[in-house]
Amino acid sequence: MQVVHSIADLRTRIKEYRRKHDQSVGFVPTMGYLHEGHVSLLRKARTQSGLVVLSIFVNPLQFGPGEDFERYPRNTEKDLQLAEAAGADLVFMPTVDEMYPTPIRTTVSVTGLTSRLCGASRPGHFDGVATVVSKLFHIVQPDQAFFGLKDAQQIAVIEQMVQDLNLDIEIVPCPTLREADGLAMSSRNVYLSEQERKQALVLSQSLEKVKEFIQSHPSFSSEELVQLVSSHISTAPLATIDYVEALGYPTLEPFEIGHHPASIIVALAVKFGKTRLIDNLIIQVRK
Amino acid sequence: MQVVHSIADLRTRIKEYRRKHDQSVGFVPTMGYLHEGHVSLLRKARTQSGLVVLSIFVNPLQFGPGEDFERYPRNTEKDLQLAEAAGADLVFMPTVDEMYPTPIRTTVSVTGLTSRLCGASRPGHFDGVATVVSKLFHIVQPDQAFFGLKDAQQIAVIEQMVQDLNLDIEIVPCPTLREADGLAMSSRNVYLSEQERKQALVLSQSLEKVKEFIQSHPSFSSEELVQLVSSHISTAPLATIDYVEALGYPTLEPFEIGHHPASIIVALAVKFGKTRLIDNLIIQVRK
């Protein structure tokens, strides 16, 4: 496994690989502080791609004022161990200056999909995501890119961008990985106090309840689903709900009772102290 | 020379070329109705690139309401003759449906460079340009792309986008071509009546006057240059000035007397009836 810090160096190595091999390049973009979720993306890439490229870059552009850019957890040594064990070939770790040598004047924005959920609570967040992913895609020029479905809205945004801008890249959505007790894996889980960690279980539990509810209720409204999730989360005294929404997926559009689309998402963002966690359930619904 | 209409077909042919040849791919994006200016871009590409790709696509996204999208001149037969004679290898002529099969939700915008000149008179124009050029760059994946300096602001915007988004493409600016009497070549010149055509000469003449003025005046203000151009244009009764500006190039920022940057642009847009013409002079100035 090779670790590179400069764009020029990365490009040279990938071009070199492509000259010698007729195999695909797979890409896993991350902000580091890797957990089993990231590892599962690398393993998936390892099965599909000839060259597996991991990027580790905490992108300032996608953090709002007062968000956790400065304190976002970092642990390069452990990241590199996990990456190597999972079969990464090339790790790209640019500095902020390497990615933004001059103030960036170009923005990639995706409308429609970004007005709800995290897009509503974190204005500008998805512009920052689309812009940096666009940069990384141009730098790496992968054939496939692997993203975790915990960030389901991010995947919807990136798939829309890829389609609209004719990027020749296959987006591979991968399932959310969970701790043994159900909590969705996240680099931000490390922020949680012991008490918060225990109470954070209400998130995955509430989504399990939705799953059961939908299975036993052929007709349901988005309000019922939201109500079910919200009331369960409210049993945790340390939880403050940012949003709970039930929408079509990947359109992220509201639906009427009896007219739900084939695939829906129930998504939530909840704060425990300063720590904001997200989780979601994407479910195929019988019509 | 091959003519292709679908993105998939174009990609297949370019990939095929790259598999067989270790030479570069050059790209000349146009809106068709080719004139000698476009031909000069193709000839330039012919000298620098192994495969010369021309696109002909009148992009609705960069036309505002009330602009000339519907009546923009088209002449495919003549375009293909000129392209072949100039040495194009592949011509990409997509329909609007091929480029925009579903309503586009993704926008590429470049701030700072687009608030003045044509950006001010044509709101949204450069978002449309940056977005379609981004699409075309992803479709063709060229090594070099050739643009005419008549659209100097467009080149500044595209160079900024390429730098900010790490596109691995060299932008090659090419000189404006002019009719024997000095009028900058443009597909829109065909709109001009005989009288308008005669009076349109004031545009290039006024820029010639600026050139002479700067050569004999080591210190000058942007206001002086603008005044010189505007007063000459005003001698043409059919001319209505949209803008005349003198700015740094490629920053497109205003300058103070005695503190001009190394390179400046004097740019103008003038209407003759419904026809809007642009022209500019980019000049290196001794400090």
Side-chain angles (χ1 to χ4, degrees):
Chain A
M1 187 179 79
Q2 290 172 316
V3 181
V4 299
H5 299 275
S6 88
I7 294 168
D9 197 0
L10 185 78
R11 279 196 169 132
T12 306
R13 285 168 201 259
I14 293 174
K15 280 184 186 166
E16 183 72 10
Y17 177 84
R18 288 211 184 263
R19 228 190 319 272
K20 290 188 186 159
H21 304 83
D22 197 23
Q23 280 177 284
S24 65
V25 174
F27 179 42
V28 179
T30 77
M31 300 209 299
Y33 210 73
L34 304 186
H35 51 64
E36 279 301 310
H38 301 109
V39 167
S40 76
L41 303 180
L42 289 168
R43 289 214 186 97
K44 177 85 173 170
R46 184 71 282 161
T47 66
Q48 292 202 6
S49 317
L51 184 79
V52 176
V53 182
L54 165 72
S55 70
I56 297 178
F57 179 61
V58 185
N59 171 38
L61 220 59
Q62 71 194 67
F63 288 80
E67 289 187 359
D68 58 347
F69 173 65
E70 291 301 339
R71 66 182 192 111
Y72 196 84
R74 289 155 169 96
N75 187 341
T76 303
E77 204 181 323
K78 190 183 161 211
D79 284 353
L80 295 180
Q81 282 168 9
L82 286 171
E84 181 141 37
D89 297 307
L90 251 179
V91 182
F92 177 48
M93 295 185 59
T95 61
V96 171
D97 268 2
E98 179 73 5
M99 289 295 280
Y100 303 108
T102 55
I104 188 163
R105 291 175 153 192
T106 307
T107 304
V108 181
S109 3
V110 179
T111 53
L113 296 170
T114 53
S115 55
R116 296 168 181 281
L117 308 178
C118 290
S121 338
R122 305 181 68 187
H125 170 66
F126 284 112
D127 286 1
V129 169
T131 304
V132 80
V133 170
S134 166
K135 284 169 69 74
L136 289 167
F137 280 178
H138 294 145
I139 292 168
V140 176
Q141 297 185 37
D143 299 289
Q144 301 100 25
F146 301 81
F147 291 88
L149 275 164
K150 185 168 75 74
D151 299 299
Q153 187 175 17
Q154 172 172 281
I155 293 186
V157 166
I158 290 169
E159 282 183 334
Q160 184 76 39
M161 173 183 85
V162 163
Q163 179 189 311
D164 285 346
L165 297 185
N166 304 98
L167 283 152
D168 197 9
I169 299 172
E170 181 200 357
I171 302 302
V172 185
C174 303
T176 301
L177 257 71
R178 298 182 180 279
E179 303 290 351
D181 62 4
L183 181 69
M185 290 195 186
S186 164
S187 306
R188 289 187 171 102
N189 290 348
V190 72
Y191 295 149
L192 298 171
S193 71
E194 200 180 331
Q195 266 209 315
E196 289 168 343
R197 173 66 185 79
K198 274 185 198 158
Q199 295 192 17
L201 271 193
V202 293
L203 307 187
S204 54
Q205 285 168 352
S206 71
L207 296 174
E208 277 303 313
K209 282 179 187 288
V210 165
K211 207 171 183 174
E212 287 162 24
F213 181 84
I214 289 178
Q215 276 156 2
S216 57
H217 294 73
S219 180
F220 55 84
S221 70
S222 52
E223 290 77 11
E224 280 175 306
L225 307 184
V226 168
Q227 178 53 37
L228 189 65
V229 171
S230 306
S231 64
H232 186 71
I233 293 173
S234 304
T235 62
L238 296 174
T240 309
I241 291 177
D242 181 357
Y243 67 74
V244 177
E245 288 197 70
L247 302 166
Y249 192 82
T251 60
L252 303 185
E253 279 169 7
F255 57 87
E256 298 289 313
I257 184 165
H259 295 280
H260 57 72
S263 180
I264 67 163
I265 183 170
V266 182
L268 57 85
V270 172
K271 279 190 150 186
F272 290 88
K274 281 185 180 175
T275 307
R276 185 175 172 281
L277 301 180
I278 60 174
D279 200 351
N280 68 70
L281 168 76
I282 296 173
I283 191 164
Q284 312 302 318
V285 194
R286 276 168 302 173
K287 288 254 187 185
Chain B
M1 187 177 79
Q2 291 173 314
V3 181
V4 299
H5 299 276
S6 87
I7 293 168
D9 198 1
L10 186 77
R11 279 195 169 134
T12 305
R13 285 167 201 261
I14 292 174
K15 280 184 184 164
E16 183 71 11
Y17 178 84
R18 289 211 183 264
R19 228 191 320 272
K20 290 186 185 160
H21 303 84
D22 195 24
Q23 280 176 285
S24 66
V25 173
F27 179 42
V28 179
T30 77
M31 299 209 300
Y33 211 74
L34 303 186
H35 51 65
E36 280 300 311
H38 301 108
V39 167
S40 75
L41 303 180
L42 289 168
R43 289 214 185 96
K44 177 85 173 169
R46 185 71 282 159
T47 66
Q48 292 202 5
S49 317
L51 184 79
V52 176
V53 183
L54 165 72
S55 70
I56 296 178
F57 179 61
V58 185
N59 171 38
L61 219 60
Q62 72 195 69
F63 288 80
E67 289 188 359
D68 58 348
F69 172 65
E70 291 300 339
R71 66 183 192 111
Y72 196 85
R74 288 153 169 97
N75 188 340
T76 304
E77 205 180 322
K78 191 183 161 210
D79 284 352
L80 295 179
Q81 282 168 9
L82 285 172
E84 181 140 39
D89 297 307
L90 252 179
V91 182
F92 177 49
M93 294 184 60
T95 60
V96 171
D97 269 2
E98 179 72 5
M99 289 294 281
Y100 304 109
T102 54
I104 188 163
R105 290 175 154 190
T106 307
T107 305
V108 181
S109 4
V110 179
T111 52
L113 296 169
T114 54
S115 55
R116 296 168 182 281
L117 308 178
C118 289
S121 335
R122 305 182 68 187
H125 170 66
F126 285 113
D127 285 2
V129 169
T131 304
V132 80
V133 170
S134 165
K135 283 170 70 74
L136 290 167
F137 280 179
H138 293 145
I139 293 167
V140 176
Q141 298 185 36
D143 300 288
Q144 302 99 26
F146 301 81
F147 292 88
L149 275 164
K150 184 168 76 71
D151 299 299
Q153 187 175 17
Q154 172 172 279
I155 292 184
V157 166
I158 291 169
E159 283 182 331
Q160 183 76 39
M161 174 183 85
V162 163
Q163 179 191 310
D164 284 346
L165 298 185
N166 304 96
L167 283 152
D168 197 9
I169 299 172
E170 180 199 359
I171 303 302
V172 185
C174 303
T176 302
L177 257 71
R178 298 182 179 279
E179 303 289 352
D181 61 5
L183 181 69
M185 290 194 186
S186 165
S187 306
R188 289 186 171 102
N189 290 347
V190 73
Y191 296 148
L192 298 170
S193 71
E194 201 180 328
Q195 267 209 314
E196 289 168 343
R197 173 66 185 79
K198 274 184 196 156
Q199 294 192 17
L201 270 192
V202 293
L203 308 186
S204 54
Q205 285 169 352
S206 71
L207 296 174
E208 277 303 312
K209 281 180 188 291
V210 165
K211 207 171 184 174
E212 287 162 23
F213 180 84
I214 288 178
Q215 276 156 3
S216 56
H217 295 73
S219 179
F220 55 83
S221 70
S222 53
E223 291 77 11
E224 279 175 308
L225 306 184
V226 168
Q227 178 54 36
L228 188 65
V229 170
S230 306
S231 64
H232 186 71
I233 293 172
S234 304
T235 63
L238 296 174
T240 309
I241 292 177
D242 181 357
Y243 67 75
V244 177
E245 288 197 70
L247 301 166
Y249 192 83
T251 60
L252 304 184
E253 280 170 6
F255 58 86
E256 298 289 314
I257 185 166
H259 296 278
H260 56 72
S263 180
I264 68 163
I265 183 170
V266 182
L268 56 86
V270 173
K271 278 191 152 187
F272 290 87
K274 281 187 182 174
T275 307
R276 184 174 173 282
L277 301 180
I278 60 174
D279 201 351
N280 69 70
L281 167 76
I282 296 172
I283 192 167
Q284 310 303 317
V285 194
R286 277 168 301 172
K287 288 253 186 187

